[in-house]
Amino acid sequence: MRAMKDQIRYRLADGQELALPPLEGPQRVDYRQWKSQQGPGEEVGPKVRVAGRIVLQRPTGKLIFLNIRDWTGDIQIFVGQRQVGHHNWQIAECLDLGDIIGVDGRLGRTNTGELTVFAEELHFLCKTLEPPPEKYHGLTDPELRQRLRYLDLLYTEGVLETFLKRTRIVQAIRRVLDEQGYIEVEGPTLHTIAGGAAARPFITHHNALDIDLYLRIALELHLKRLLVGGIEKVYELGRVYRNEGISPRHNPEFTMLEVYQAYGDYHTMMDLAEQIVLGSLRAIQDDYCVQWGETVIDFTPPFARRTYDELFQEHTGITPSDSKAVADFASRIGLHPQGKHPDVIKSEIFEEVVEPKLIGPVFVIDYPAALCPLTKRKRDNPQIAERFELFVQGMEIANAYTELNDPDLQEELFRTQLEGLPEEESMARMDHDFLRALRNGMPPAGGLGIGVDRLVMLLTGSRSIRDVILFPLLRPEAGAK
RNA sequence: GAGGGUGUAGCUCAGGCGGUAGAGCAACGGACUUUUAAUCCGUAGGUCGCGGGUUCGAGUCCCGCCACCCUCACCA
């Protein structure tokens, strides 16, 4: 019915209301339960009302089979010319792939046993004017999948599922923390000094105050101010921004969790990190194993806890305290140890040789102190920092310290950190405001940071961070308005 | 920023030694009252990423540029 189809387009263009008032359907029907109770050939099911987007269409003369999709899945619609009458049949003949319709009918089974809504009334709810992706292959071009994420969600298998899982994981993280009495806060995202990490910030400008501001690169320094202020168990789960390269593991904006607990230490945080990971996993599946490419990650607790030096020795065969042997090893694998602090050489080897082998999950604990400026040293060994990182598949998922709360030492460490920076990066200025807070006394505390996007990647088996960020940063399209 | 790969119809993809553009799906017209990526007959659809060059002739060869993907670097 060409004429009616054109009319629909015309009316849409005219901005007129086509959709029906909100559908107040009959009682909801649990398809799965009903399905399990019926056998093939069953024709008379409950009356149902469904709505969704047409993803497949099989017209066979005076009969049209449609598959419509909503976010719970697909269901087949049977439309018979004789069964639905003239008006509905006219609507049915105007339908295109991608249109959104509502259907009143009875749930039943076709001769082949397919669960089907046998239409009695069709409601035209929305026209789609763009052609949908190929019905079998869907969208595969990675650029289109990101630029047209709405189509990716609709037509690429598993995409919607992954993002729904992401939401459940984030909910689970909050649940674990809330149940243990941690308080969620919202710190500023515009900072006068981009502190708490070493990364290039995005710069913006406030007109009324006429000052440059930086989008935050970490949550840390404001949460610590709250520790000073007596908020003893505190966290923030939010977006941070780093003006760095883009890769399968890096997006310029990403989601961080940082947790601080007064009178806690890195052991407290290790237990908490394990609970957060397990709580997240439980929110999306029942067992502890996650498929990751060709391999399977086993999250069965408790996670291994190994010291940095232990792992170093195990994977290099070198005694970590033998700095000459360490330097020799570094040269042998193509690193350049000349003039570097022994701990730095060790860390370069560790990143190169050990980290890729940390299939995990494994807590790496007790890092060399020189690598950890914001970390308290072990009481009985000032060479060792009370820090752990949680590794899975060679990826760093969590990072935690027993936090440094000595303002003088902190200032000194800031100073040495700033010395090494080239001029253009010395926008990282001494944070006197933060030091003043520390001088007012910050209780000893454990602190934990988790890269939420990477945790979601691991738990959902996603190989790229873009697969867990709805709208990753892309260069604007040429010629786009 | 460096190296490698990709870019052809709305989508998914073919295009051998350089010889004037192909399929499937989608669209449009027709047949079909139990289909399952429905099937069958027909029609229409292209700045071969963009710009130069070589050549009688370029989707194909050369140079430059653009976008995306991968690896590396930056990202404590």
Side-chain angles (χ1 to χ4, degrees):
Chain A
M1 267 267 130
R2 189 68 247 176
M4 179 139 176
K5 205 161 190 167
D6 290 341
Q7 194 185 5
I8 286 168
R9 287 173 193 269
Y10 171 75
R11 290 172 68 184
L12 277 173
D14 228 24
Q16 290 184 38
E17 189 60 55
L18 251 180
L20 301 174
L23 298 179
E24 296 291 336
Q27 310 92 322
R28 303 202 78 117
V29 172
D30 185 333
Y31 295 147
R32 277 190 197 84
Q33 195 193 356
W34 186 83
K35 190 175 182 177
S36 69
Q37 293 165 352
Q38 308 299 319
E42 178 62 54
E43 287 282 342
V44 184
K47 199 159 167 64
V48 293
R49 168 170 275 190
V50 295
R53 187 180 295 270
I54 300 170
V55 292
L56 286 174
Q57 208 177 10
R58 290 178 296 282
T60 69
K62 309 261 181 306
L63 201 59
I64 300 174
F65 291 91
L66 302 170
N67 289 33
I68 66 170
R69 174 172 297 169
D70 70 7
W71 69 347
T72 69
D74 293 1
I75 189 161
Q76 177 167 266
I77 309 296
F78 175 107
V79 184
Q81 184 179 34
R82 197 173 59 237
Q83 289 85 339
V84 298
H86 178 68
H87 176 69
N88 286 311
W89 186 250
Q90 273 195 313
I91 293 174
E93 285 192 305
C94 295
L95 297 176
D96 286 316
L97 291 176
D99 289 351
I100 299 172
I101 60 167
V103 180
D104 286 307
R106 287 196 178 273
L107 198 57
R109 287 182 182 282
T110 59
N111 292 347
T112 54
E114 178 82 11
L115 186 71
T116 301
V117 175
F118 290 84
E120 292 168 1
E121 206 71 47
L122 294 179
H123 310 287
F124 190 88
L125 302 180
C126 184
K127 191 76 200 162
T128 185
L129 299 177
E130 297 276 346
E134 213 261 3
K135 69 185 180 188
Y136 185 61
H137 299 93
L139 271 193
T140 63
D141 182 328
E143 184 176 356
L144 289 179
R145 287 187 51 202
Q146 292 168 55
R147 288 197 194 280
L148 312 178
R149 182 65 96 188
Y150 39 91
L151 294 182
D152 192 36
L153 285 162
L154 283 166
Y155 294 108
T156 309
E157 195 174 344
V159 171
L160 174 62
E161 190 188 352
T162 296
F163 284 108
L164 293 178
K165 281 180 178 172
R166 177 180 176 128
T167 297
R168 291 210 293 276
I169 288 168
V170 170
Q171 288 169 337
I173 293 171
R174 289 202 163 93
R175 194 180 320 124
V176 168
L177 289 164
D178 295 349
E179 278 169 1
Q180 298 192 26
Y182 290 87
I183 301 298
E184 182 172 11
V185 297
E186 294 179 272
T189 58
L190 295 172
H191 288 187
T192 50
I193 296 175
R200 263 190 286 255
F202 286 93
I203 306 172
T204 185
H205 189 81
H206 188 270
N207 291 336
L209 296 181
D210 191 25
I211 49 170
D212 280 343
L213 290 171
Y214 307 95
L215 298 188
R216 64 183 177 186
I217 58 173
L219 312 173
E220 178 158 346
L221 300 185
H222 288 87
L223 292 175
K224 283 182 169 172
R225 286 174 171 89
L226 297 178
L227 284 179
V228 173
I231 301 182
E232 297 184 358
K233 298 171 85 174
V234 65
Y235 74 96
E236 178 161 8
L237 199 170
R239 208 69 62 81
V240 299
Y241 306 84
R242 296 186 181 179
N243 204 339
E244 309 277 0
I246 297 175
S247 87
R249 291 180 181 187
H250 301 267
N251 194 60
E253 54 178 308
F254 60 101
T255 302
M256 279 255 286
L257 168 70
E258 289 195 30
V259 189
Y260 293 87
Q261 175 167 359
Y263 315 112
D265 62 12
Y266 73 139
H267 289 291
T268 324
M269 293 295 110
M270 224 178 306
D271 295 338
L272 183 62
E274 189 170 306
Q275 289 170 46
I276 287 172
V277 171
L278 292 174
S280 299
L281 187 60
R282 238 173 270 127
I284 60 170
Q285 64 179 53
D286 291 329
D287 65 316
Y288 287 119
C289 291
V290 172
Q291 190 74 37
W292 180 257
E294 301 298 300
T295 63
V296 170
I297 310 171
D298 184 353
F299 284 96
T300 304
F303 300 166
R305 300 184 179 192
R306 309 287 305 281
T307 70
Y308 187 92
D309 281 352
E310 240 170 57
L311 288 165
F312 187 91
Q313 174 127 29
E314 183 178 314
H315 290 278
T316 62
I318 291 168
T319 309
S321 54
D322 183 346
S323 46
K324 183 175 181 314
V326 168
D328 288 349
F329 184 87
S331 302
R332 224 179 312 143
I333 61 171
L335 300 172
H336 304 287
Q338 294 79 8
K340 289 176 184 162
H341 188 287
D343 282 352
V344 173
I345 302 171
K346 256 164 73 174
S347 114
E348 287 180 2
I349 295 174
F350 194 88
E351 283 174 24
E352 188 73 24
V353 178
V354 184
E355 286 185 9
K357 302 251 177 64
L358 300 178
I359 303 309
V362 55
F363 287 109
V364 179
I365 63 177
D366 293 348
Y367 277 67
L371 303 175
C372 315
L374 298 177
T375 312
K376 218 175 213 180
R377 280 78 178 103
K378 281 206 134 168
R379 220 161 299 172
D380 56 353
N381 183 355
Q383 301 300 109
I384 300 289
E386 293 200 351
R387 172 191 188 184
F388 75 78
E389 293 193 1
L390 173 60
F391 279 90
V392 185
Q393 290 292 318
M395 240 195 309
E396 175 201 328
I397 295 306
N399 186 9
Y401 311 138
T402 301
E403 301 294 342
L404 184 67
N405 64 342
D406 175 337
D408 294 333
L409 185 51
Q410 175 73 75
E411 180 167 0
E412 194 185 314
L413 291 171
F414 268 151
R415 209 178 296 285
T416 52
Q417 197 181 5
L418 290 174
E419 267 169 19
L421 290 178
E423 187 61 31
E424 57 154 273
E425 286 176 42
S426 50
M427 56 185 62
R429 285 168 295 146
M430 179 64 70
D431 195 335
H432 291 291
D433 182 73
F434 175 64
L435 290 171
R436 179 172 59 193
L438 283 192
R439 278 200 300 278
N440 283 280
M442 186 183 92
L448 167 68
I450 292 182
V452 173
D453 310 87
R454 289 181 179 181
L455 177 63
V456 174
M457 281 173 69
L458 274 174
L459 297 183
T460 59
S462 304
R463 307 308 296 266
S464 169
I465 199 167
R466 287 173 225 118
D467 293 333
V468 300
I469 292 178
L470 281 167
F471 300 103
L473 186 68
L474 284 174
R475 205 178 293 268
E477 270 177 286
K481 297 129 241 157

